[in-house]
Amino acid sequence: MNAPDSRLRGLIRDLTDGLAQQMYFWGRDVRHPEGNALLRAGLQRIARINNEGEGSSLYRIERGGGWIELHGFCAGWRSQDPKATGMLYIRRCHRIFLASGSMTPGRYDMSRLRSGSTDEILLAGEAFLRWWIDYEKWAAQELGTAWRQECWRGYVKLRHARPWLSPAQAVDWLLHFLENPSTQQRPREILRASTSVR
């Protein structure tokens, strides 16, 4: 039996909350005591050109016929084919969009952004989500689980944060979400179950 549309839309909102938390983690990883972890994980740092864009540097790595791109304002995947649809999470909007073409972080062409169904977002964002899982596995091994737990505790303490799953739970959630979103639990259900076990 397939999950109702409202539940699937809820899972996309959950994914959005997970991205908000993960953006904080990547920001901390840039300032890791042993050096910029994004660079150590193989991403290329692209400085702003001609003062275009705002905020931090853009980090990029090639995956799935396109680029994973991380910035303080947004994160996503865009295809090398400018006509193909990619996925873009805009932090300020706290929302995932389907996107076409490249975007300047902080300055978005809203005519090239649109909402999408769960299936469309999974299709456009699959390379991004798989890279996110791989990156977190790399981070656990290379940076240590204590580092990520420290990042998570820092995020939970932020005033306007929407605390999500623990780092280990997040990776499991993402894996299951990619494989079978219709049977995926909502994070609040996972947290409720883990609290009742204690």
Side-chain angles (χ1 to χ4, degrees):
M1 177 201 263
N2 288 336
D5 285 347
S6 61
R7 184 173 178 83
L8 293 174
R9 282 194 302 273
L11 289 168
I12 294 299
R13 285 192 303 273
D14 295 334
L15 178 62
T16 303
D17 288 342
L19 268 166
Q21 176 174 288
Q22 189 64 36
M23 294 281 285
Y24 176 82
F25 291 173
W26 287 322
R28 291 285 307 273
D29 290 351
V30 166
R31 298 181 301 278
H32 190 274
E34 294 175 14
N36 186 327
L38 295 182
L39 295 177
R40 290 163 47 202
L43 282 88
Q44 176 188 12
R45 182 175 182 244
I46 300 168
R48 290 181 286 144
I49 300 170
N50 300 328
N51 291 323
E52 198 173 297
E54 302 172 24
S56 61
S57 297
L58 177 72
Y59 290 86
R60 179 185 293 161
I61 191 167
E62 194 169 341
R63 282 291 184 279
W67 295 278
I68 306 293
E69 294 183 328
L70 308 177
H71 185 275
F73 292 157
C74 57
W77 177 86
R78 70 178 174 95
S79 175
Q80 292 174 355
D81 175 358
K83 296 176 186 169
T85 301
M87 179 215 107
L88 183 68
Y89 166 74
I90 300 178
R91 197 176 199 174
R92 178 187 64 204
C93 301
H94 192 69
R95 188 166 164 205
I96 296 170
F97 294 92
L98 296 174
S100 58
S102 64
M103 299 277 175
T104 301
R107 297 178 189 164
Y108 310 103
D109 179 351
M110 299 309 279
S111 69
R112 292 191 287 129
L113 297 174
R114 66 180 178 86
S115 299
S117 69
T118 306
D119 288 343
E120 288 176 308
I121 289 171
L122 278 172
L123 184 63
E126 182 177 3
F128 179 85
L129 296 176
R130 292 202 184 280
W131 174 83
W132 176 3
I133 292 165
D134 290 344
Y135 177 85
E136 281 304 294
K137 289 179 178 178
W138 173 88
Q141 184 175 359
E142 297 296 321
L143 309 178
T145 54
W147 169 255
R148 189 52 90 227
Q149 285 297 119
E150 179 186 322
C151 294
W152 188 52
R153 285 191 299 272
Y155 182 73
V156 168
K157 290 178 187 173
L158 292 178
R159 185 174 174 201
H160 297 293
R162 298 177 185 187
W164 203 51
L165 299 167
S166 72
Q169 288 173 319
V171 170
D172 289 343
W173 190 91
L174 287 166
L175 281 166
H176 190 88
F177 179 68
L178 272 171
E179 298 308 318
N180 197 347
S182 64
T183 63
Q184 175 60 298
Q185 285 184 290
R186 304 283 308 270
R188 65 176 181 241
E189 295 164 346
I190 295 168
L191 294 172
R192 198 168 31 241
S194 64
T195 304
S196 65
V197 168
R198 291 181 196 164

